Amino acid sequence: METKGTGSIVQLEKDKPKGKCRKWQLRVSVGIDPRTGKYRQRTRTISGTYTEAKRALPDFIAELSGQTMVKSGKVPTFEECAEEWLEHRRKTKEVAETSIKGYKTRLNILSRLIGRVRTDKLTSEHVQEALLAMMDGDTPSGKPAGSQYIKMLWIAGKTMYRKYAIPMGYASVNPFEGVSTPSVKPRQQVVLEEERYQELASLMRPVRDGYRMGVLLALLAGLRLGECCSLTWQDWQGGKLHVNGTKTKASTATVPISQALQDALGEWMERQSGDMIALGLPWDRSMPIVTNPTFQRMPSDSLTVWWLQHRDGLGFPGIRFHDLRHAFVARCCMLDINPKVVQRLARHSTFSVTMDVYAAVNDAALDDAAKLL
């Protein structure tokens, strides 16, 4: 990667004198943006003294220019780069662990076909051929990959290059840019009519196990899969639930919950604690709410599998577990709850997500609205 100049160091803690600041941003100009004709910048945040930041700047420039790699000969393969990037994200806590697992799965699938290609040698042609092969059935299952599946893989690879491989100097171009991907039809948002919504809630009662409790948390409080499985009884206090979000900062919040959900939680707490004590197992409020049959914290995959195995028999075929969250938010909108309140209940980071993605309404609601015009 081409670099320009000697770089610069920017003080991030503006309220502190230079000698007390411990956060700095290294900035290096790289390449020319063909659209603007100006040099683009790569940045890296450094913790430490100004002297330590000055020492780190030449190393950063060397990484970007590829000098370090040329000397060592350690240009990673696509698979090695993916592992390195995911470990970096885990250490820096850049994203939630659930997001890291999702990216790991997608990058592993890509690595099956292009994993041995060196990061700087991978081309758009390699990527295009791999995606076309998967669409033709060259997948672990032997089934042709669908449009949504291909799109997710493409985004994962493109993001890895943009956020890590190129800034680290492992490659100078993003081979996922310019690759043709199939168009993806937006998935229709799930709206359950009130009768169906209440029917599903009733089918989960009495709460006999952690699986049913997980479904109720998603349906009656709009929790995501990972959020359901991370809850402990300490998170339920006085009619409110503290949710450790798995997506954005806004997703971690304390929200009020309905009386129906409180009743279900109380029912399950009594059963779970009673069964554990009868087996001679210790129980206190640090216990997970959603547990497996052996009273261990339930893995999110197990809850997903249970739902997929039972949804048809329950009369809700085709409904994904995450659709239960959609149904909760759509119901809030159909009950004419203030949209900003819905945003808070759903713990969305932006208002547009609430309205554009989740606030689906059924034809009956549209007809009712038209009568008021």
Side-chain angles (χ1 to χ4, degrees):
M1 179 184 296
E2 178 187 4
T3 62
K4 182 73 172 179
T6 58
S8 60
I9 302 173
V10 178
Q11 181 176 334
L12 295 182
E13 295 175 317
K14 304 293 186 182
D15 57 333
K16 295 182 179 180
K18 190 174 182 179
K20 297 287 186 181
C21 179
R22 292 297 181 268
K23 286 189 177 181
W24 311 88
Q25 186 180 74
L26 309 182
R27 294 182 181 177
V28 178
S29 295
V30 294
I32 295 178
D33 190 327
R35 293 183 296 107
T36 64
K38 298 180 180 180
Y39 276 91
R40 294 169 292 185
Q41 283 192 329
R42 297 297 182 192
T43 63
R44 174 174 291 176
T45 300
I46 294 291
S47 296
T49 64
Y50 178 70
T51 300
E52 290 171 328
K54 283 180 65 177
R55 290 173 182 164
L57 183 57
D59 292 336
F60 185 39
I61 294 174
E63 284 183 13
L64 293 175
S65 64
Q67 294 172 15
T68 303
M69 293 182 301
V70 171
K71 291 177 182 178
S72 65
K74 293 181 180 179
V75 180
T77 64
F78 178 89
E79 186 174 15
E80 291 168 343
C81 184
E83 292 175 357
E84 187 178 313
W85 178 49
L86 294 174
E87 183 59 27
H88 171 77
R89 299 190 108 189
R90 182 173 286 109
K91 288 180 178 178
T92 59
K93 298 184 179 180
E94 179 186 345
V95 294
E97 184 64 29
T98 51
S99 294
I100 293 175
K101 289 180 179 178
Y103 270 95
K104 181 178 177 62
T105 299
R106 294 161 202 164
L107 292 172
N108 282 346
I109 293 170
L110 284 170
S111 292
R112 179 174 169 271
L113 297 179
I114 59 175
R116 295 184 180 181
V117 182
R118 220 170 71 167
T119 308
D120 60 339
K121 300 297 184 182
L122 187 67
T123 66
S124 296
E125 289 74 19
H126 290 138
V127 176
Q128 190 74 77
E129 288 176 6
L131 297 182
L132 289 173
M134 284 187 277
M135 293 171 68
D136 287 337
D138 190 357
T139 62
S141 66
K143 298 179 180 179
S147 299
Q148 182 68 45
Y149 185 85
I150 291 294
K151 197 77 170 184
M152 291 171 66
L153 298 180
W154 174 75
I155 290 173
K158 180 181 177 182
T159 303
M160 184 191 79
Y161 266 82
R162 178 173 60 84
K163 289 195 170 187
Y164 194 74
I166 293 177
M168 287 296 291
Y170 293 161
S172 58
V173 296
N174 192 332
F176 287 80
E177 296 282 4
V179 171
S180 299
T181 58
S183 60
V184 179
K185 184 178 180 181
R187 184 180 176 89
Q188 185 176 358
Q189 298 302 319
V190 172
V191 179
L192 296 178
E193 295 182 3
E194 183 66 14
E195 183 178 347
R196 292 282 286 161
Y197 185 91
Q198 296 298 341
E199 178 187 352
L200 179 54
S202 297
L203 288 170
M204 296 299 104
R205 305 284 298 274
V207 187
R208 299 193 299 271
D209 49 47
Y211 301 108
R212 289 172 172 76
M213 190 68 252
V215 170
L216 287 172
L217 286 166
L219 184 68
L220 301 183
L223 269 62
R224 301 176 179 90
L225 178 63
E227 294 166 350
C228 294
C229 296
S230 68
L231 287 175
T232 69
W233 290 109
Q234 292 171 335
D235 295 320
W236 176 34
Q237 299 280 348
K240 294 185 178 182
L241 203 59
H242 179 74
V243 183
N244 292 306
T246 58
K247 198 140 192 182
T248 64
K249 290 183 178 180
S251 63
T252 296
T254 300
V255 293
I257 56 176
S258 66
Q259 187 59 52
L261 181 54
Q262 291 186 63
D263 292 344
L265 283 167
E267 180 181 301
W268 173 233
M269 176 190 278
E270 183 177 351
R271 181 167 192 133
Q272 184 196 68
S273 60
D275 288 349
M276 289 183 66
I277 292 171
L279 291 171
L281 300 173
W283 185 94
D284 57 37
R285 292 185 66 86
S286 66
M287 273 292 297
I289 292 178
V290 179
T291 50
N292 61 20
T294 58
F295 300 107
Q296 303 295 316
R297 185 183 299 278
M298 184 181 296
S300 56
D301 290 349
S302 297
L303 184 53
T304 301
V305 169
W306 184 90
W307 172 252
L308 292 176
Q309 290 175 340
H310 290 78
R311 62 182 181 179
D312 288 5
L314 293 168
F316 293 85
I319 301 294
R320 304 174 304 164
F321 189 89
H322 192 71
D323 288 336
L324 304 176
R325 171 174 164 81
H326 293 192
F328 167 79
V329 180
R331 180 173 184 259
C332 288
C333 295
M334 292 168 65
L335 293 176
D336 293 328
I337 297 174
N338 184 294
K340 292 298 290 183
V341 175
V342 177
Q343 180 189 352
R344 294 281 299 277
L345 291 172
R347 297 164 290 108
H348 290 147
S349 58
T350 62
F351 184 60
S352 61
V353 173
T354 305
M355 301 312 296
D356 295 341
V357 180
Y358 291 98
V361 294
N362 58 20
D363 292 338
L366 289 172
D367 292 340
D368 291 342
K371 294 174 183 178
L372 299 175
L373 299 176

